[in-house]
Amino acid sequence: MAKSTLPAVSLQMPESVMGKAMNVAFVGAAAGGAYLLVKKLVKDAQRTSALKDYGNPNSTDGLAARFATQFYSAIVQTAEWVNDTVGDGTDQDLVYKTAGEMYRTRVTLYEVSAKYKALYRRDLVADLQKDLSAAEMESFNRMISSGLSGVSAPAVLVTVAPGFVLNERLQRLAFVEAGTLLGRLADNYVLPDNRILLGFLYHSSVRYIDSASVKQVSNVPA
């Protein structure tokens, strides 16, 4: 008896189906690329518009662009103090000054944040919350809503004599010369010999220095 053979099963996708699948994949990739391109063009257009607004300082958009630039300067560009080894990194005076100007000109935080995003691709509120303490954010919000009422600049430490900067474990980190701008006053620590160490903020950490080596100022010296 002759053996029966089963016909071979072909797993090859029909050309019509394969072509459709390739077309769908191509269209999807093209759409994704087009979306990214359009997104970039929109961002570029927003930045170009914001730059044009900056050249018209008498308009609300122009003021918002200028305030956004001042915030960027205070938070990002002014990140280096006189001695960046132990510097703080944010110009609070300029932040508060800009907030007061916003109140007087009735420019909203929403308008300034939009220009900040368009010009610098950053989130203004997130940058402020990262660099300012809870108390400072409260002062900032108060200035925006009511002007300068009840707001004072935080005390800043400046060395009047050479001294060592210590970490939280009171280990020496760096030696600084007189006239070095350190950072915002944070707390103090009394040593067994009754000497007082003053703490100042360095980014999210606290650094210490002998109180005899520093003075407190309310405004950053020129």
Side-chain angles (χ1 to χ4, degrees):
M1 175 182 289
K3 293 183 179 180
S4 61
T5 58
L6 295 175
V9 178
S10 175
L11 299 179
Q12 183 175 0
M13 184 182 295
E15 292 186 2
S16 60
V17 176
M18 182 180 296
K20 289 181 180 179
M22 293 181 64
N23 287 336
V24 170
F26 175 78
V27 171
Y35 170 76
L36 293 176
L37 177 60
V38 170
K39 187 175 180 181
K40 182 180 185 302
L41 291 175
V42 169
K43 286 184 176 180
D44 290 344
Q46 290 173 339
R47 187 171 192 276
T48 300
S49 175
L51 288 172
K52 289 181 180 179
D53 291 334
Y54 190 86
N56 185 16
N58 295 322
S59 67
T60 298
D61 284 337
L63 287 170
R66 178 166 68 84
F67 296 152
T69 300
Q70 290 177 194
F71 280 129
Y72 182 80
S73 177
I75 298 170
V76 181
Q77 288 185 331
T78 316
E80 295 183 359
W81 296 87
V82 175
N83 184 338
D84 191 53
T85 302
V86 291
D88 185 288
T90 301
D91 186 344
Q92 286 86 7
D93 285 347
L94 182 54
V95 169
Y96 294 144
K97 175 178 178 292
T98 304
E101 290 176 349
M102 289 170 59
Y103 170 77
R104 290 189 293 276
T105 56
R106 296 297 186 267
V107 177
T108 67
L109 182 60
Y110 175 82
E111 291 167 328
V112 177
S113 296
K115 297 301 180 186
Y116 192 84
K117 184 73 171 180
L119 287 169
Y120 305 111
R121 307 288 194 269
R122 299 172 69 99
D123 186 314
L124 175 57
V125 174
D127 280 353
L128 288 170
Q129 291 176 338
K130 178 181 177 182
D131 281 33
L132 300 181
S133 67
E136 289 165 347
M137 278 300 300
E138 183 179 349
S139 295
F140 172 80
N141 291 327
R142 189 185 304 119
M143 290 196 71
I144 289 179
S145 61
S146 62
L148 300 177
S149 177
V151 176
S152 60
V156 176
L157 297 183
V158 180
T159 56
V160 294
F164 286 98
V165 172
L166 313 176
N167 62 15
E168 295 92 336
R169 298 180 180 180
L170 304 186
Q171 299 169 328
R172 291 181 177 180
L173 288 179
F175 180 80
V176 292
E177 299 291 342
T180 300
L181 190 62
L182 299 176
R184 303 192 304 276
L185 178 65
D187 62 2
N188 61 73
Y189 185 89
V190 181
L191 297 174
D193 60 2
N194 291 324
R195 285 188 299 129
I196 298 176
L197 300 179
L198 293 182
F200 61 92
L201 293 179
Y202 172 54
H203 298 304
S204 59
S205 302
V206 178
R207 300 289 184 258
Y208 292 92
I209 191 168
D210 193 320
S211 60
S213 300
V214 297
K215 66 177 179 179
Q216 299 180 34
V217 296
S218 58
N219 295 305
V220 177

